[in-house]
Amino acid sequence: MMENILSILIFFPLVAAFVIFLFLRGGKTTMWATFIATIIELILTIPLMTSFDKTTAAMQFVEKADWIPALGVQYYVGVDGISILMIFLTTLLTAIAVLGSFTYIQKRQREFYLALLVLETGMVGVFLALDFFLFYIFWEAMLIPMYLIIGVWGGKRRIYAAVKFFLFTLAGSVLMMLAIIALFFKHGEITGVYTFDIMAITAQAVKYTAGFQTIIFLAFFLGFAIKVPMFPVHTWLPDAHVEAPTAGSVILAGVLLKMGTYGFLRFCLPITPAASISFMPFVAILSVIAIVYGALVAMVQSDVKKLVAYSSVSHMGFVTLGIYAINQAGIEGGILQMFNHGIITGALFLLIGAIYERTHTREISEYGGIAASVPMFATIFLIFTMGSIGLPGMGAFIGEFLVLVGAFEAFSDYAIIAASGVIFAAVYMLWMYQRVLYESLNKRWENLKDMNLREIIYIMPLLIIVFWVGIYPETFTSYMHESVRHLVEQVFSAGVAMK
């Protein structure tokens, strides 16, 4: 089984969707079948993680076969210390998102759950693909189900949000495709072998001229920056989050945003090392702007979901800052913060969705004093609020600390400004929590029902992980040590060789 574990992980959700489509008609039976399928997918990641060799930076569980030999296209997949946590995050959040959607998806239930399963195949495929052609197919495959999830099951302005999401992401995809084609021909020109093999193309990075690297870097960077999203190409995110159903917001914030930062790690740094080093200050400036700007805009939001959406712009700024510090601490902090952000922000969107189901409003001004009616909700919401701030003992503290250590080593001036983001986060998150849960009681919410068993079940794994990462982060960082060390050496050795 371990010989084909990656293919099973990629295609099991798609097979499950096909079986459900053929044999199940009822919405509820589809709902439970989808949940069981996503739980099986999550369970399949356990042997992957327990069998993973943490002492090597090499790709593991590799599967490789010719697909379209005439075009140099292969079915080529593998996993390393950079991608393995993203696989676990994807399968975990997808299962939780399905369980969390049981009560609010009333129309076209069957189609909704089929879309989630197809989306999961695309997400897992992106993190495992080692052939550019295969990667691009999975990248585009994600776009369609998420567009449908927002556009069909979203809020009042769902069509506007879905189209904006689609157009922004498509624009980035076109630039990325042009960069891939250019690399395909450049590799053929250098070696005489035309291939989309990511590892082979990366191995030739030292032979790419500075001008060529700059063009490729900018094409990739803009494509991935839109996905993160970085300032100033972030404007699609708040609209998409506000209009998306809860499951869509959880997947969007928890996994899809990580596709952009993963692209920086897998493509920009190793394939264009000299350009990446040259653009370090530029990316650092954009990251710091995102940290501060996202926090300031979050402070003035009246919609609690939009507040959390803008907080994602700020938090992902820390991730890009750590990655482009291009050192061990910064990149490890960035990867860990990608994971932490998925857990914490995913949980916040689940909690906001749970209270929205009861009140049918997300306006902060319409809440107030509900903590007495929903003490369990208030306690868990407080924990994840503190987690978002980066309270010591919780996961985000470790991630942000590593990012800032790496940033101080690379560019101390920017790191000092970035550190202010922690203070801003405390301001907007605690102020939001105070206005929603405390102050004067809105009489409309006197009889609110607290969290039920299903809601407690789906939030508990995220709660455990937040403290697990905060108390013993080595469980998670141990996967990435060798891969990050190799990546940093790869970037600087290639960059210096070119000079």
Side-chain angles (χ1 to χ4, degrees):
M1 176 180 170
M2 293 305 295
E3 292 180 1
N4 301 300
I5 185 65
L6 300 188
S7 290
I8 294 171
L9 277 169
I10 293 170
F11 295 110
F12 177 76
L14 191 63
V15 171
F18 186 68
V19 171
I20 290 169
F21 175 76
L22 288 180
F23 299 107
L24 299 181
R25 290 292 179 264
K28 287 190 176 181
T29 53
T30 299
M31 176 179 72
W32 280 105
T34 302
F35 178 61
I36 292 169
T38 55
I39 288 295
I40 293 172
E41 178 81 350
L42 174 59
I43 292 171
L44 288 171
T45 63
I46 295 174
L48 182 72
M49 299 188 76
T50 54
S51 302
F52 187 84
D53 184 358
K54 300 177 183 179
T55 64
T56 177
M59 288 291 170
Q60 300 180 43
F61 309 103
V62 171
E63 299 174 41
K64 191 173 185 179
D66 286 337
W67 182 15
I68 312 175
L71 295 178
V73 176
Q74 304 171 91
Y75 175 77
Y76 186 14
V77 294
V79 66
D80 66 354
I82 291 172
S83 56
I84 192 165
L85 287 183
M86 297 301 102
I87 296 298
F88 174 64
L89 180 67
T90 301
T91 57
L92 175 66
L93 287 182
T94 303
I96 289 174
V98 171
L99 183 59
S101 66
F102 275 15
T103 55
Y104 63 81
I105 299 298
Q106 303 298 329
K107 64 176 182 178
R108 299 180 181 176
Q109 290 178 312
R110 183 164 167 267
E111 289 83 357
F112 175 80
Y113 292 110
L114 290 175
L116 279 178
L117 287 171
V118 174
L119 179 61
E120 185 171 25
T121 284
M123 293 187 296
V124 173
V126 163
F127 289 127
L128 295 179
L130 295 178
D131 180 276
F132 267 124
F133 190 87
L134 185 65
F135 171 85
Y136 193 79
I137 287 175
F138 285 128
W139 182 275
E140 292 298 286
M142 294 186 306
L143 184 59
I144 298 169
M146 181 51 75
Y147 171 79
L148 293 174
I149 287 169
I150 297 171
V152 176
W153 293 278
K156 293 180 180 179
R157 300 177 73 242
R158 59 185 180 273
I159 302 301
Y160 167 78
V163 170
K164 192 172 183 180
F165 161 78
F166 188 90
L167 291 177
F168 267 78
T169 307
L170 188 63
S173 298
V174 170
L175 290 170
M176 186 171 66
M177 179 179 65
L178 293 174
I180 290 170
I181 293 171
L183 286 168
F184 172 80
F185 283 106
K186 190 68 173 180
H187 185 273
E189 179 186 315
I190 292 171
T191 66
V193 177
Y194 291 87
T195 180
F196 288 99
D197 184 330
I198 292 170
M199 307 308 289
I201 289 172
T202 301
Q204 300 300 321
V206 71
K207 298 179 182 178
Y208 303 147
T209 65
F212 179 77
Q213 282 199 32
T214 299
I215 294 169
I216 298 300
F217 173 86
L218 290 174
F220 271 139
F221 180 80
L222 186 55
F224 295 133
I226 290 171
K227 202 75 171 181
V228 172
M230 294 184 70
F231 177 89
V233 289
H234 66 283
T235 57
W236 65 267
L237 181 67
D239 293 313
H241 269 316
V242 169
E243 300 304 326
T246 299
S249 293
V250 170
I251 298 299
L252 187 60
V255 183
L256 262 63
L257 303 191
K258 313 308 179 292
M259 302 295 180
T261 46
Y262 175 76
F264 294 152
L265 291 164
R266 182 65 74 210
F267 305 126
C268 288
L269 293 186
I271 294 176
T272 59
S276 295
I277 293 170
S278 298
F279 280 93
M280 279 174 66
F282 171 72
V283 181
I285 291 170
L286 290 183
S287 300
V288 169
I289 291 173
I291 291 168
V292 176
Y293 168 82
L296 293 176
V297 177
M299 286 182 193
V300 299
Q301 296 307 309
S302 59
D303 183 310
V304 65
K305 203 173 183 184
K306 187 170 280 191
L307 183 149
V308 176
Y310 274 107
S311 79
S312 291
V313 176
S314 183
H315 289 309
M316 293 305 290
F318 275 103
V319 175
T320 54
L321 183 68
I323 289 172
Y324 276 91
I326 315 183
N327 53 41
Q328 187 85 19
I331 293 177
E332 286 195 9
I335 296 171
L336 188 61
Q337 201 60 358
M338 287 161 65
F339 182 77
N340 289 328
H341 178 266
I343 297 296
I344 294 170
T345 306
L348 287 172
F349 278 123
L350 285 166
L351 292 167
I352 292 168
I355 204 68
Y356 177 77
E357 286 183 54
R358 292 159 169 78
T359 62
H360 302 290
T361 181
R362 291 191 302 265
E363 288 297 315
I364 296 173
S365 61
E366 294 184 16
Y367 287 103
I370 66 172
S373 302
V374 288
M376 177 69 74
F377 174 87
T379 302
I380 294 176
F381 197 56
L382 177 63
I383 291 171
F384 283 107
T385 297
M386 293 300 179
S388 181
I389 292 170
L391 191 73
M394 306 180 83
F397 171 76
I398 304 297
E400 288 180 354
F401 182 81
L402 287 172
V403 165
L404 290 174
V405 168
F408 268 104
E409 182 181 329
F411 17 68
S412 57
D413 293 343
Y414 300 139
I416 292 170
I417 301 172
S420 67
V422 178
I423 301 171
F424 291 138
V427 172
Y428 64 74
M429 289 302 294
L430 292 177
W431 191 28
M432 177 270 290
Y433 184 83
Q434 175 191 348
R435 288 180 290 166
V436 171
L437 277 299
Y438 291 98
E439 296 189 344
S440 59
L441 174 65
N442 186 328
K443 298 298 183 181
R444 295 165 61 190
W445 318 131
E446 285 181 325
N447 298 314
L448 276 184
K449 292 182 179 180
D450 208 347
M451 296 181 73
N452 56 41
L453 180 61
R454 178 183 61 88
E455 292 166 339
I456 292 171
I457 288 172
Y458 68 59
I459 211 70
M460 283 306 296
L462 305 180
L463 199 62
I464 291 168
I465 290 172
V466 164
F467 285 107
W468 191 344
V469 178
I471 295 169
Y472 193 66
E474 184 64 14
T475 304
F476 302 89
T477 57
S478 60
Y479 286 98
M480 65 182 80
H481 290 326
E482 287 302 311
S483 293
V484 171
R485 180 190 59 77
H486 175 71
L487 176 61
V488 173
E489 290 178 355
Q490 190 178 16
V491 172
F492 282 102
S493 62
V496 170
M498 286 196 64
K499 291 180 181 179

